[in-house]
Coordinates of all heavy atoms in Angstrom, one line a residue:
D42 N 15.5 4.9 -7.8 CA 14.4 4.9 -8.8 C 13.1 5.4 -8.2 O 12.7 5.0 -7.1 CB 14.2 3.6 -9.4 CG 15.2 3.2 -10.5 OD1 16.0 4.2 -10.8 OD2 15.3 2.1 -10.8
R43 N 12.3 6.2 -8.9 CA 10.9 6.6 -8.5 C 10.1 5.6 -9.2 O 10.2 5.4 -10.4 CB 10.7 8.0 -8.9 CG 11.5 9.0 -8.0 CD 11.5 10.4 -8.7 NE 12.1 11.3 -7.8 CZ 13.4 11.6 -7.5 NH1 14.2 10.7 -8.1 NH2 13.8 12.5 -6.6
V44 N 9.2 5.0 -8.5 CA 8.2 4.1 -9.0 C 6.7 4.5 -8.7 O 6.5 4.6 -7.5 CB 8.5 2.6 -8.5 CG1 7.4 1.7 -9.1 CG2 9.9 2.2 -8.9
V45 N 5.9 4.7 -9.7 CA 4.5 5.2 -9.5 C 3.7 3.9 -9.1 O 3.8 2.9 -9.8 CB 3.9 5.9 -10.7 CG1 2.4 6.0 -10.5 CG2 4.5 7.2 -10.8
V46 N 3.0 3.9 -8.1 CA 2.1 2.7 -7.8 C 0.6 3.2 -7.9 O 0.3 4.0 -7.1 CB 2.5 2.1 -6.4 CG1 3.8 1.4 -6.5 CG2 2.5 3.1 -5.2
W47 N -0.1 2.5 -8.7 CA -1.6 2.8 -8.8 C -2.3 1.4 -8.5 O -2.6 0.6 -9.3 CB -1.8 3.2 -10.3 CG -3.2 3.8 -10.5 CD1 -3.8 4.8 -9.8 CD2 -4.2 3.3 -11.5 NE1 -5.1 4.9 -10.3 CE2 -5.3 4.0 -11.3 CE3 -4.0 2.2 -12.5 CZ2 -6.3 3.8 -12.1 CZ3 -5.1 2.0 -13.3 CH2 -6.4 2.9 -13.2
L48 N -2.4 1.2 -7.2 CA -2.9 -0.1 -6.7 C -4.1 0.0 -5.8 O -4.3 1.1 -5.1 CB -1.7 -0.8 -5.9 CG -0.4 -1.0 -6.7 CD1 0.7 -1.5 -5.8 CD2 -0.6 -2.0 -7.9
P49 N -4.8 -0.9 -5.8 CA -6.1 -1.0 -4.9 C -5.8 -1.2 -3.4 O -4.6 -1.6 -3.2 CB -7.0 -2.1 -5.5 CG -5.9 -3.0 -6.1 CD -4.8 -2.3 -6.6
N50 N -6.6 -1.0 -2.6 CA -6.5 -1.3 -1.1 C -6.7 -2.9 -0.9 O -7.8 -3.4 -0.9 CB -7.6 -0.7 -0.4 CG -7.2 -0.3 1.1 OD1 -6.1 0.2 1.3 ND2 -8.1 -0.5 2.0
H51 N -5.5 -3.6 -1.0 CA -5.5 -5.0 -1.2 C -4.3 -5.6 -0.4 O -3.3 -4.8 -0.1 CB -5.3 -5.3 -2.7 CG -5.5 -6.7 -3.1 ND1 -4.4 -7.7 -2.9 CD2 -6.6 -7.4 -3.6 CE1 -4.9 -8.9 -3.3 NE2 -6.1 -8.7 -3.8
W52 N -4.3 -6.8 0.0 CA -3.2 -7.4 0.9 C -2.0 -7.5 0.1 O -0.9 -7.4 0.6 CB -3.5 -8.7 1.3 CG -3.9 -9.8 0.2 CD1 -5.0 -10.2 -0.3 CD2 -2.9 -10.6 -0.5 NE1 -4.9 -11.2 -1.3 CE2 -3.6 -11.5 -1.4 CE3 -1.5 -10.7 -0.4 CZ2 -2.9 -12.3 -2.2 CZ3 -0.8 -11.6 -1.2 CH2 -1.5 -12.4 -2.1
R53 N -2.0 -7.4 -1.3 CA -0.7 -7.3 -2.0 C 0.0 -6.1 -1.9 O 1.2 -5.9 -2.1 CB -1.0 -7.7 -3.5 CG -1.3 -9.1 -3.9 CD -1.3 -9.1 -5.4 NE -1.9 -10.4 -5.9 CZ -2.2 -10.6 -7.2 NH1 -1.9 -9.6 -8.1 NH2 -2.8 -11.6 -7.5
T54 N -0.8 -5.0 -1.8 CA -0.2 -3.6 -2.0 C 0.9 -3.3 -0.9 O 2.0 -2.8 -1.4 CB -1.3 -2.5 -1.8 OG1 -2.3 -2.8 -2.8 CG2 -0.8 -1.2 -2.0
P55 N 0.8 -3.7 0.3 CA 1.8 -3.5 1.2 C 3.2 -4.1 0.8 O 4.3 -3.7 1.1 CB 1.4 -3.9 2.6 CG -0.1 -3.9 2.5 CD -0.4 -4.2 1.1
I56 N 3.0 -5.4 0.2 CA 4.1 -6.1 -0.2 C 5.0 -5.4 -1.2 O 6.2 -5.4 -1.2 CB 3.6 -7.5 -0.7 CG1 3.0 -8.3 0.3 CG2 5.0 -8.3 -1.2 CD1 2.4 -9.6 -0.1
Y57 N 4.2 -4.7 -2.1 CA 4.9 -3.9 -3.2 C 5.6 -2.7 -2.6 O 6.7 -2.3 -3.0 CB 3.9 -3.5 -4.3 CG 3.7 -4.5 -5.3 CD1 2.9 -5.5 -5.1 CD2 4.4 -4.4 -6.5 CE1 2.7 -6.5 -6.2 CE2 4.2 -5.3 -7.5 CZ 3.4 -6.4 -7.3 OH 3.3 -7.3 -8.3
F58 N 5.0 -2.0 -1.6 CA 5.8 -0.9 -0.9 C 7.0 -1.4 -0.3 O 8.0 -0.8 -0.4 CB 4.8 -0.3 0.2 CG 3.8 0.7 -0.3 CD1 2.7 0.3 -1.0 CD2 3.9 2.0 0.0 CE1 1.8 1.3 -1.5 CE2 3.0 2.9 -0.4 CZ 1.9 2.6 -1.2
F59 N 6.9 -2.5 0.5 CA 8.0 -3.0 1.2 C 9.1 -3.4 0.3 O 10.3 -3.3 0.5 CB 7.6 -4.1 2.3 CG 6.8 -3.6 3.4 CD1 5.6 -4.4 3.7 CD2 7.1 -2.4 4.1 CE1 4.9 -3.8 4.7 CE2 6.3 -1.9 5.1 CZ 5.2 -2.7 5.4
A60 N 8.8 -4.1 -0.8 CA 9.8 -4.7 -1.8 C 10.5 -3.5 -2.5 O 11.8 -3.6 -2.7 CB 9.1 -5.5 -2.8
L61 N 9.8 -2.5 -2.8 CA 10.3 -1.3 -3.5 C 11.3 -0.6 -2.4 O 12.4 -0.2 -2.8 CB 9.3 -0.3 -3.9 CG 8.5 -0.8 -5.1 CD1 7.3 0.1 -5.3 CD2 9.4 -0.8 -6.4
W62 N 10.9 -0.5 -1.2 CA 11.7 0.1 -0.2 C 13.0 -0.7 0.1 O 14.1 -0.2 0.3 CB 11.0 0.3 1.0 CG 10.1 1.5 1.0 CD1 10.2 2.5 0.2 CD2 8.9 1.7 1.7 NE1 9.2 3.4 0.3 CE2 8.3 3.0 1.2 CE3 8.2 0.9 2.7 CZ2 7.1 3.3 1.8 CZ3 7.0 1.4 3.2 CH2 6.5 2.7 2.9
K63 N 12.9 -2.1 0.1 CA 14.0 -3.0 0.2 C 15.1 -2.7 -0.9 O 16.3 -2.7 -0.6 CB 13.6 -4.5 0.2 CG 14.7 -5.4 0.3 CD 14.3 -6.8 0.4 CE 15.5 -7.7 0.6 NZ 15.2 -9.2 0.8
L64 N 14.7 -2.4 -2.1 CA 15.6 -2.2 -3.2 C 16.1 -0.7 -3.1 O 17.0 -0.4 -3.9 CB 14.9 -2.4 -4.5 CG 14.4 -3.8 -4.8 CD1 13.6 -3.8 -6.1 CD2 15.7 -4.7 -4.9
G65 N 15.5 0.2 -2.3 CA 16.0 1.6 -2.2 C 15.2 2.5 -3.2 O 15.7 3.6 -3.4
A66 N 14.1 1.9 -3.7 CA 13.3 2.8 -4.6 C 12.5 3.8 -3.8 O 12.1 3.5 -2.6 CB 12.5 1.9 -5.5
I67 N 12.0 4.7 -4.5 CA 11.1 5.7 -3.9 C 9.7 5.6 -4.5 O 9.4 5.6 -5.6 CB 11.5 7.1 -4.3 CG1 13.0 7.3 -3.8 CG2 10.6 8.2 -3.7 CD1 13.7 8.5 -4.4
V68 N 8.7 5.4 -3.6 CA 7.3 5.1 -4.0 C 6.6 6.3 -4.2 O 6.6 7.3 -3.4 CB 6.6 4.3 -2.9 CG1 5.1 4.1 -3.2 CG2 7.2 2.9 -2.6
V69 N 5.9 6.5 -5.4 CA 5.0 7.6 -5.7 C 3.6 7.1 -5.9 O 3.2 6.7 -6.8 CB 5.5 8.3 -7.0 CG1 4.7 9.6 -7.2 CG2 6.9 8.6 -6.9
P70 N 2.8 7.1 -4.7 CA 1.4 6.5 -4.8 C 0.5 7.4 -5.6 O 0.5 8.7 -5.4 CB 1.0 6.5 -3.3 CG 2.3 6.7 -2.5 CD 3.1 7.6 -3.4
F71 N -0.3 6.8 -6.4 CA -1.4 7.5 -7.2 C -2.8 7.0 -6.7 O -3.0 5.8 -6.4 CB -1.4 7.2 -8.6 CG -0.5 8.2 -9.4 CD1 0.6 8.9 -8.8 CD2 -0.7 8.4 -10.8 CE1 1.3 9.8 -9.5 CE2 0.1 9.3 -11.5 CZ 1.1 9.9 -11.0
D72 N -3.7 7.9 -6.4 CA -5.1 7.6 -6.0 C -5.8 6.9 -7.2 O -5.5 7.2 -8.4 CB -5.8 8.9 -5.6 CG -7.1 8.7 -4.9 OD1 -7.2 8.2 -3.8 OD2 -8.1 8.9 -5.6
R73 N -6.8 6.2 -6.8 CA -7.6 5.5 -7.9 C -8.1 6.5 -8.9 O -8.2 6.1 -10.2 CB -8.7 4.7 -7.2 CG -9.7 4.1 -8.1 CD -9.1 2.9 -8.8 NE -10.0 2.1 -9.7 CZ -10.3 2.4 -11.0 NH1 -9.6 3.3 -11.5 NH2 -11.0 1.6 -11.6
E74 N -8.7 7.7 -8.3 CA -9.3 8.6 -9.2 C -8.3 9.8 -9.5 O -8.8 10.9 -9.7 CB -10.5 9.2 -8.5 CG -11.6 8.1 -8.1 CD -12.1 7.2 -9.2 OE1 -12.1 7.6 -10.4 OE2 -12.4 6.0 -9.0
M75 N -7.1 9.5 -9.8 CA -6.1 10.5 -10.1 C -6.5 11.4 -11.3 O -7.0 10.9 -12.4 CB -4.8 9.9 -10.4 CG -3.7 10.9 -11.0 SD -3.3 12.2 -10.0 CE -2.4 11.4 -8.7
N76 N -6.5 12.7 -11.1 CA -6.9 13.6 -12.2 C -6.0 13.4 -13.4 O -4.7 13.2 -13.2 CB -6.7 15.1 -11.6 CG -6.9 16.2 -12.7 OD1 -6.1 16.4 -13.5 ND2 -8.1 16.7 -12.7
I77 N -6.6 13.3 -14.6 CA -5.8 13.0 -15.8 C -4.6 14.0 -16.1 O -3.5 13.6 -16.2 CB -6.7 12.9 -17.0 CG1 -7.8 11.8 -16.9 CG2 -5.9 12.7 -18.3 CD1 -8.8 11.8 -18.0
D78 N -4.9 15.3 -16.0 CA -3.9 16.3 -16.3 C -2.9 16.2 -15.2 O -1.6 16.4 -15.5 CB -4.5 17.7 -16.4 CG -5.4 17.8 -17.7 OD1 -5.1 17.1 -18.7 OD2 -6.2 18.7 -17.6
A79 N -3.2 16.1 -13.9 CA -2.3 16.1 -12.8 C -1.4 14.8 -13.0 O -0.2 15.0 -12.7 CB -3.1 16.1 -11.4
G80 N -2.1 13.7 -13.3 CA -1.2 12.4 -13.4 C -0.2 12.6 -14.4 O 1.0 12.2 -14.3
A81 N -0.5 13.2 -15.5 CA 0.4 13.4 -16.7 C 1.6 14.3 -16.2 O 2.7 14.2 -16.6 CB -0.2 13.9 -17.9
Q82 N 1.3 15.4 -15.5 CA 2.3 16.4 -15.0 C 3.3 15.7 -14.0 O 4.4 16.0 -14.0 CB 1.5 17.6 -14.3 CG 0.8 18.5 -15.3 CD 0.2 19.6 -14.6 OE1 0.9 20.4 -13.8 NE2 -1.1 19.8 -14.7
I83 N 2.7 14.8 -13.1 CA 3.5 14.2 -12.2 C 4.5 13.2 -12.8 O 5.7 13.1 -12.4 CB 2.6 13.4 -11.1 CG1 1.8 14.5 -10.4 CG2 3.5 12.6 -10.2 CD1 0.7 13.8 -9.4
L84 N 4.0 12.5 -13.9 CA 4.9 11.6 -14.5 C 6.1 12.3 -15.1 O 7.2 11.8 -15.0 CB 4.2 10.8 -15.6 CG 3.1 9.8 -15.1 CD1 2.5 9.0 -16.3 CD2 3.7 8.8 -14.2
V85 N 5.8 13.5 -15.7 CA 7.0 14.2 -16.3 C 7.8 14.7 -15.2 O 9.1 14.7 -15.4 CB 6.3 15.4 -17.0 CG1 7.5 16.4 -17.5 CG2 5.5 15.0 -18.2
S86 N 7.4 15.2 -14.1 CA 8.2 15.7 -13.0 C 9.0 14.6 -12.3 O 10.2 15.0 -11.9 CB 7.3 16.5 -12.0 OG 6.5 15.6 -11.3
V87 N 8.6 13.4 -12.1 CA 9.2 12.4 -11.3 C 10.1 11.5 -12.2 O 10.9 10.8 -11.8 CB 8.4 11.6 -10.4 CG1 7.6 12.5 -9.4 CG2 7.3 10.7 -11.2
A88 N 9.7 11.4 -13.5 CA 10.3 10.5 -14.5 C 10.6 9.1 -13.8 O 11.7 8.7 -13.6 CB 11.7 11.1 -14.8
P89 N 9.4 8.4 -13.6 CA 9.5 7.1 -13.0 C 10.2 6.0 -13.8 O 10.1 6.0 -14.9 CB 8.0 6.8 -12.6 CG 7.3 7.5 -13.8 CD 8.1 8.8 -14.1
R90 N 10.8 5.1 -13.1 CA 11.3 3.8 -13.7 C 10.2 3.1 -14.4 O 10.4 2.5 -15.5 CB 12.0 3.0 -12.7 CG 12.3 1.6 -13.1 CD 13.5 1.6 -14.2 NE 14.7 1.9 -13.6 CZ 15.8 2.0 -14.4 NH1 15.9 1.6 -15.6 NH2 16.9 2.4 -13.8
C91 N 9.1 3.0 -13.7 CA 7.9 2.3 -14.2 C 6.7 2.8 -13.4 O 6.7 3.4 -12.4 CB 8.0 0.8 -14.2 SG 8.3 0.1 -12.6
V92 N 5.5 2.3 -14.0 CA 4.2 2.6 -13.3 C 3.6 1.2 -13.0 O 3.3 0.4 -14.0 CB 3.3 3.4 -14.2 CG1 1.9 3.5 -13.5 CG2 3.8 4.8 -14.4
I93 N 3.4 0.8 -11.8 CA 2.8 -0.4 -11.4 C 1.3 -0.2 -11.2 O 1.0 0.5 -10.3 CB 3.6 -1.1 -10.2 CG1 5.1 -1.2 -10.5 CG2 3.0 -2.4 -9.8 CD1 5.8 -1.7 -9.3
A94 N 0.5 -1.0 -12.0 CA -1.0 -0.8 -11.9 C -1.6 -2.1 -11.4 O -1.1 -3.1 -11.8 CB -1.4 -0.3 -13.2
G95 N -2.7 -2.0 -10.7 CA -3.4 -3.1 -10.2 C -4.9 -3.0 -10.3 O -5.6 -3.8 -9.7
H96 N -5.4 -2.1 -11.2 CA -6.9 -1.9 -11.3 C -7.4 -2.6 -12.6 O -8.6 -2.4 -12.9 CB -7.2 -0.4 -11.3 CG -6.9 0.3 -9.9 ND1 -7.7 0.0 -8.9 CD2 -5.9 1.1 -9.6 CE1 -7.3 0.8 -7.9 NE2 -6.2 1.4 -8.3
G97 N -6.5 -3.2 -13.3 CA -7.0 -4.0 -14.5 C -7.4 -3.1 -15.7 O -8.2 -3.6 -16.6
E98 N -6.9 -1.9 -15.8 CA -7.3 -1.0 -16.8 C -6.0 -0.1 -17.1 O -5.1 0.1 -16.3 CB -8.5 -0.3 -16.6 CG -8.3 0.6 -15.4 CD -9.6 1.3 -15.0 OE1 -10.6 0.7 -14.5 OE2 -9.8 2.5 -15.3
Q99 N -6.1 0.5 -18.3 CA -5.1 1.5 -18.7 C -5.6 2.9 -18.3 O -6.5 3.4 -18.8 CB -4.9 1.5 -20.2 CG -4.0 2.5 -20.8 CD -2.5 2.3 -20.5 OE1 -2.0 1.2 -20.4 NE2 -1.6 3.4 -20.4

Side-chain angles (χ1 to χ4, degrees):
D42 283 344
R43 291 160 171 78
V44 177
V45 170
V46 291
W47 189 56
L48 301 175
N50 208 45
H51 188 277
W52 62 264
R53 283 188 198 172
T54 302
I56 301 174
Y57 274 80
F58 276 72
F59 292 135
L61 289 167
W62 286 333
K63 179 177 181 178
L64 294 173
I67 302 163
V68 175
V69 184
F71 270 28
D72 189 75
R73 175 73 175 89
E74 307 300 331
M75 169 61 73
N76 177 281
I77 297 175
D78 292 335
Q82 291 180 53
I83 294 170
L84 289 184
V85 171
S86 65
V87 302
R90 165 70 66 178
C91 59
V92 177
I93 301 175
H96 292 287
E98 60 184 81
Q99 172 74 28

